[in-house]
Amino acid sequence: FGEVYGELDGLGRGEIMERLLRRYRENNDGVRKMIRVNGTYVNEELREAIMNQLVQWRRNHKKNTRPSINAESYMILRSPVEFEQKNSNNAKQAAKKLASHRRLWDLAQIALKEVDAKFAENFSALAVTYGFRGSPHIDKQNTAPFYGMSLGSFPDGEGGVCVEVDAFTVCQVNTKNRLGKIDGRFPHWVAPYVEGKERYSLIYYSTW
């Protein structure tokens, strides 16, 4: 935006954000170019099996374990590769959690293998969510792009994953019944979808 670093250094976060928003308003009234792409369809039989597991999970899981994210339920399952060689309390807890949701993990991995077999064997964790909305953020610990899939009653074409391509361009990836690849090391968020509709999601990511 033509700002000089020396003039920004020392400003508070609120001042910098206000200046950034003003610059956006000055450029095309703050409207950014939107690119829309579709993920790769997951077969219906497999989607239904995953959805059944997600509904069962939601009945017993009402907690958001990542409070910085706007979601009704949020859970992380760790890959066995990450904890099988460890004997810490955290490793034992991760193993216990995975055992409780092993069927969901296995089905999710099968779905990803149909799209990217190599990544399916190497991702380090699976985030399981319900009611995820908005929440722009950056996944600082990720070492590669992630895959995301969303299921539920929300309309196709809504509730996709948006990611900044550059300061003036956003790409919205349609993940409804699909697996889409997104680089979470850039600002990203969930696009709006109809109130009252259900949206579950699976996010496969790697931190190693």
Side-chain angles (χ1 to χ4, degrees), residues 138-207:
I138 295 173
D139 296 322
K140 297 178 181 179
Q141 296 182 336
N142 285 17
T143 57
F146 67 81
Y147 275 94
M149 173 170 63
S150 54
L151 302 170
S153 60
F154 70 98
D156 194 1
E158 296 185 6
V161 180
C162 295
V163 60
E164 284 192 350
V165 177
D166 56 43
F168 302 104
T169 311
V170 172
C171 178
Q172 183 174 153
V173 183
N174 183 1
T175 60
K176 173 69 184 284
N177 299 329
R178 302 168 172 90
L179 274 163
K181 192 175 187 180
I182 300 103
D183 197 335
R185 294 167 294 184
F186 294 91
H188 61 286
W189 60 94
V190 172
Y193 55 95
V194 176
E195 290 288 342
K197 296 297 184 179
E198 293 188 321
R199 182 185 184 278
Y200 295 87
S201 70
L202 298 176
I203 303 296
Y204 310 71
Y205 65 94
S206 182
T207 58

Side-chain angles (χ1 to χ4, degrees), residues 14-28:
E15 292 175 284
I16 292 176
M17 180 59 70
E18 179 53 39
R19 187 174 295 197
L20 176 62
L21 293 175
R22 185 172 67 249
R23 288 295 192 182
Y24 273 123
R25 288 192 295 268
E26 292 170 355
N27 286 271
N28 199 29

Side-chain angles (χ1 to χ4, degrees), residues 87-159:
N87 196 36
S88 67
N89 288 333
N90 286 341
K92 292 176 181 177
Q93 291 175 3
K96 183 178 180 180
K97 183 187 288 188
L98 180 60
S100 298
H101 303 284
R102 189 71 203 213
R103 179 60 175 162
L104 174 58
W105 173 277
D106 289 344
L107 289 169
Q109 191 171 38
I110 291 170
L112 186 56
K113 280 182 178 179
E114 295 185 355
V115 175
D116 189 334
K118 184 177 180 180
F119 194 85
E121 294 296 333
N122 292 289
F123 70 96
S124 62
L126 178 71
V128 184
T129 83
Y130 173 81
F132 195 124
R133 290 185 179 274
S135 307
H137 65 286
I138 295 173
D139 296 322
K140 297 178 181 179
Q141 296 182 336
N142 285 17
T143 57
F146 67 81
Y147 275 94
M149 173 170 63
S150 54
L151 302 170
S153 60
F154 70 98
D156 194 1
E158 296 185 6

